[in-house]
Amino acid sequence: MNDQGELDSVDRALLRELQNDARQTNKALAGKVGVAPSTCLERIRELRARGVITGFRAELDPAAIGRPMEAILSVQQRGSHRAATETLLSDTTALPETVRVMALTGTTDFIIHVAVRDMNHLRDFVWSLIERPEVGRVQSSLVFARAEGPGLAPLDTLRRPGG
């Protein structure tokens, strides 16, 4: 990492490898990236301290933990008050059914990804949202399949089509 806090080739390699497998040992990670284990550990500490790496967590199969039904909920607020938006974001993020919440611009104010037991569970979740005074409309879409992208890379390393 350079003095301006930009990501160098070692940082980018570490980030790529950690997104592929965050459970690998520091020694294995250092070997893949071509640095000493002590350097690897220090680089990861610096990336965490700077907020580039925001955490490590296990990814779970929702069906394996009793939540085989996933849905994407599009939510429109009644009016747009900052306090109501922040409250809705905070409250929905804290719910056990919630996988991810995103606040948006445009006609949809929030996208809420949920994982639930069954249709009755989804119905009850949606109804609890509709009952909130700041919620104007909720539209639900069932998730039939999902796939993850390759992981994020710093923009300066991306290749543009045709370039």
Side-chain angles (χ1 to χ4, degrees):
M1 197 162 12
N2 66 28
D3 292 338
Q4 287 97 10
E6 295 175 11
L7 300 174
D8 63 19
S9 62
V10 172
D11 294 328
R12 289 192 296 271
L14 285 169
L15 294 173
R16 184 176 52 254
E17 289 298 329
L18 286 170
Q19 286 186 95
N20 289 335
D21 180 9
R23 291 192 56 183
Q24 60 190 301
T25 66
N26 183 60
K27 184 177 179 181
L29 182 58
K32 288 179 182 177
V33 174
V35 296
S38 59
T39 301
C40 182
L41 190 59
E42 183 57 34
R43 289 290 189 111
I44 292 170
R45 284 184 182 141
E46 288 176 12
L47 289 165
R48 289 190 74 186
R50 290 179 42 215
V52 176
I53 296 174
T54 59
F56 298 94
R57 56 192 253 180
E59 292 183 26
L60 306 179
D61 176 2
I65 60 169
R67 297 164 182 244
M69 179 177 280
E70 293 181 72
I72 303 297
L73 308 177
S74 301
V75 178
Q76 266 185 329
Q77 277 186 266
R78 267 193 192 112
S80 58
H81 307 290
R82 184 177 183 158
T85 299
E86 289 173 355
T87 298
L88 189 59
L89 182 63
S90 174
D91 289 356
T92 56
T93 301
L95 296 171
E97 295 86 354
T98 299
V99 176
R100 173 170 285 142
V101 180
M102 292 169 273
L104 310 172
T105 62
T107 58
T108 297
D109 296 306
F110 290 92
I111 294 290
I112 305 171
H113 178 187
V114 297
V116 295
R117 281 186 308 276
D118 53 28
M119 188 61 73
N120 289 336
H121 191 179
L122 177 61
R123 179 201 61 216
D124 292 344
F125 187 91
V126 170
W127 282 353
S128 72
L129 283 176
I130 292 170
E131 291 171 348
R132 295 181 65 111
E134 68 268 44
V135 172
R137 181 175 163 272
V138 177
Q139 178 178 332
S140 60
S141 300
L142 295 180
V143 175
F144 290 148
R146 63 181 163 114
E148 299 294 325
L152 296 176
L155 288 176
D156 60 340
T157 64
L158 298 179
R159 294 192 183 140
R160 299 188 190 275

